[in-house]
Amino acid sequence: MTELLNAAVTILTDPGTMALAVLATLVGIVLGALPGISSTMTLAVLLPFSFSMEPGNAMVFLLGAFYGSVWGGSISAILINIPGTPGSMLTQLDGYPLAKRGQAGVALTYALLASTFGGVVGWLGLVIFAPTLARAGFAFQSPEFAVLMVFGLSMLAYASPGSTFLGILSGMLGLLLGTVGLDMITNLSRFDFGIGRLQAGINIIPFAVGIFGLTEILRLLEQPIVTEKAATRIGAIWPKFRDVIRTWATAVRSAIVGLIVGIIPAAGSAVAVSMSYAQEKKLYEKKESFGDGNPRGIVAAETGNNAAVGGALVPLLTLGLPGDTMTAVLVGALLVHGLQPGPQLFTSHPDFIATIYVALGLTIVLTFVLSLGLMRVFARVLSAPPRILYVGILVLCVTGSFAVQNALFDVLLMIFFGALGYLFLKLGIPTAPMMFGLVLGPLLEENLRRTLIVYGDWMVFLQRPITIVMLAITVVVLLLPFFGQVRERLARAAVEAGPD
């Protein structure tokens, strides 16, 4: 509590830090509102600009952009029926019908209130559960951390859209990329192809900017320009107070779902939103009203979406396991500043943990205040020519990659991975598992090799209760798609066989 109060005083009384928080939140909201510019892409593009900052200011900057972009995605979803981020994909189902009826302002306010409530619940979950999980993490040794990395990769492969096999294949490629550079034990060079700059390994920043930033820009530039303009006249803003109160149960249920799903490694906001929306549609009497401008649909989607933000930070800070692709990008920021996420972070840098708590809470407040005051302005931003905005982001990709080490090689690396990501996009191969493989691969190798050096036997993984449980869960997660296919085939065979 003392560290939390000190961090709050330090941040709130520093004009430079407050200005940085406001700027980051505004940029995050605007980029999140632009169709196709996901929260992951926003973080990847802005990440290089945080390197020159102090660790605390860097997290204020990145968390501001992170949370702001998560909320910003609902603006375009409501006004032009195009979700700005994957997490706002269900907000459009009820938000856009309200906008077409001249109630765009009301829909945006419902989304903003729900986002704020969900963000507060996620923040409380982070503050309450993170220290507890961190204490439990001290029981982890090398075998447990090695199995934990495998579990995280398997969860992401399963949660990724499309084929689970392709997700696993992408994750394995990421693991292979994580071995590039000098061996941590023998100090021998591996897979560097004689390129000296690769001896330090593949820098996560050009990789993230290329795979999430450049790839998305290439995808967006090949699509036809959307001719439908945003509803710049949003009408009245505040809904009736009694109508807002009626949605409180929906908000509470969706916030709990979003927080729990956010804590699960690799589940992500899209899963949280889908579960929250489906839950409310199932419980509501007039199910047919969902998708036709029901405010409960907006509340369910946005509350679950923003509650998952705080939840996703829990496994990142406590176990070093990113909760989703957005927090995987944040790992790069921590590592650049010499901070290894995990249980030790809570004992060695409690002031930094307190700074994260305060930064996220401040961002939630700033997002609410700025969005409420500038709602009509944000609506007009969507009327700007999208191609100009995309080119501007492309410039940020190049300059951000170059700024990492002031090296043209990093720009070329970003272009290479951008082209690779675009190829994967055309082939239907998810790129998120590759990112996780690159982040978790070195940690997996380090803990696996340390385990074998200390214990000298692979059977150690079957002799420790925690590793046995996590291995069993991992096997079940990987086999679930197979069981689903078998069940579908049996059901199809039963239908074809007929009543006989």
Side-chain angles (χ1 to χ4, degrees):
M1 183 59 68
T2 302
E3 296 289 350
L4 190 62
L5 291 175
N6 290 338
V9 171
T10 300
I11 292 176
L12 297 179
T13 57
D14 187 340
T17 303
M18 289 297 296
L20 185 66
V22 172
L23 174 63
T25 304
L26 281 174
V27 172
I29 294 174
V30 172
L31 291 181
L34 297 177
I37 311 299
S38 65
S39 298
T40 304
M41 179 180 174
T42 299
L43 279 178
V45 171
L46 297 179
L47 183 57
F49 299 96
S50 68
F51 293 162
S52 61
M53 304 175 187
E54 294 294 326
N57 285 343
M59 293 310 297
V60 170
F61 176 73
L62 292 175
L63 287 176
F66 179 11
Y67 187 86
S69 66
V70 171
W71 144 249
S74 64
I75 297 177
S76 59
I78 292 173
L79 297 182
I80 59 177
N81 202 30
I82 301 176
T85 62
S88 57
M89 59 184 179
L90 294 180
T91 304
Q92 69 187 80
L93 296 182
D94 292 283
Y96 186 63
L98 278 178
K100 288 197 300 183
R101 294 200 289 264
Q103 296 180 293
V106 171
L108 286 171
T109 302
Y110 269 116
L112 180 60
L113 293 174
S115 298
T116 304
F117 179 76
V120 171
V121 173
W123 182 84
L124 290 173
L126 173 64
V127 174
I128 294 172
F129 294 124
T132 304
L133 190 57
R135 283 192 291 270
F138 282 107
F140 281 36
Q141 296 181 6
S142 296
E144 285 78 14
F145 276 111
V147 175
L148 183 66
M149 299 302 116
V150 175
F151 169 71
L153 289 169
S154 66
M155 285 294 294
L156 185 72
Y158 178 69
S160 298
S163 169
T164 302
F165 171 76
L166 293 179
I168 295 175
L169 182 65
S170 178
M172 292 179 64
L173 178 58
L175 290 175
L176 184 61
L177 292 174
T179 63
V180 173
L182 297 177
D183 186 284
M184 64 185 68
I185 295 178
T186 65
N187 209 35
L188 295 176
S189 183
R190 306 178 301 186
F191 307 115
D192 62 2
F193 301 100
I195 302 174
R197 286 193 174 272
L198 286 180
Q199 289 188 352
I202 294 178
N203 194 302
I204 191 174
I205 307 308
F207 175 88
V209 173
I211 210 76
F212 294 120
L214 183 57
T215 297
E216 284 300 307
I217 290 298
L218 294 175
R219 182 184 68 83
L220 293 170
L221 288 177
E222 74 173 4
Q223 294 181 351
I225 299 177
V226 179
T227 57
E228 186 172 7
K229 294 185 178 180
T232 54
R233 297 188 61 182
I234 60 178
I237 292 179
W238 286 104
K240 295 180 180 179
F241 181 74
R242 65 173 181 270
D243 293 337
V244 174
I245 294 298
R246 288 172 183 167
T247 63
W248 72 269
T250 297
V252 171
R253 287 191 295 264
S254 301
I256 294 174
V257 171
L259 176 62
I260 294 175
V261 173
I263 294 176
I264 299 174
S269 59
V271 178
V273 169
S274 300
M275 292 184 65
S276 300
Y277 191 88
Q279 170 187 254
E280 290 308 311
K281 186 174 182 179
K282 182 179 180 180
L283 294 176
Y284 195 56
E285 295 179 355
K286 301 179 181 179
K287 297 179 177 58
E288 66 280 358
S289 66
F290 275 73
D292 190 34
N294 191 330
R296 293 175 187 267
I298 300 175
V299 172
E302 285 301 307
T303 306
N305 187 22
N306 287 265
V309 173
L313 291 173
V314 174
L316 168 68
L317 296 176
T318 58
L319 301 174
L321 194 63
D324 52 21
T325 54
M326 292 169 281
T327 50
V329 177
L330 288 178
V331 171
L334 294 177
L335 295 178
V336 165
H337 289 285
L339 299 169
Q340 177 65 54
Q344 296 293 339
L345 193 61
F346 283 76
T347 56
S348 58
H349 298 282
D351 54 336
F352 180 74
I353 295 295
T355 298
I356 291 179
Y357 291 165
V358 175
L360 181 58
L362 175 62
T363 297
I364 295 171
V365 175
L366 287 176
T367 300
F368 177 78
V369 174
L370 293 174
S371 298
L372 199 59
L374 301 175
M375 193 175 292
R376 301 180 189 277
V377 176
F378 293 146
R380 294 186 179 277
V381 169
L382 295 179
S383 301
R387 296 294 173 91
I388 296 177
L389 297 172
Y390 298 156
V391 171
I393 294 173
L394 181 60
V395 173
L396 289 178
C397 291
V398 175
T399 55
S401 298
F402 181 81
V404 176
Q405 302 178 93
N406 292 329
L408 181 61
F409 177 79
D410 288 329
V411 177
L412 298 176
L413 203 62
M414 181 272 293
I415 295 174
F416 171 78
F417 284 114
L420 182 63
Y422 184 75
L423 176 63
F424 276 25
L425 181 68
K426 293 301 182 181
L427 296 176
I429 302 176
T431 55
M434 186 163 55
M435 174 72 177
F436 269 65
L438 179 63
V439 171
L440 300 180
L443 298 175
L444 171 60
E445 181 185 9
E446 178 185 354
N447 287 284
L448 180 61
R449 295 179 71 172
R450 185 185 297 137
T451 299
L452 296 179
I453 290 173
V454 173
Y455 297 96
D457 189 357
W458 287 90
M459 292 302 294
V460 66
F461 294 108
L462 301 178
Q463 296 171 351
R464 304 169 71 91
I466 297 178
T467 58
I468 292 175
V469 172
M470 287 194 294
L471 282 173
I473 296 175
T474 301
V475 171
V476 171
V477 167
L478 292 177
L479 291 180
L480 275 177
F482 172 75
F483 290 146
Q485 292 178 0
V486 172
R487 185 170 61 251
E488 290 178 2
R489 291 178 181 176
L490 291 176
R492 193 181 305 115
V495 172
E496 293 175 353
D500 297 333

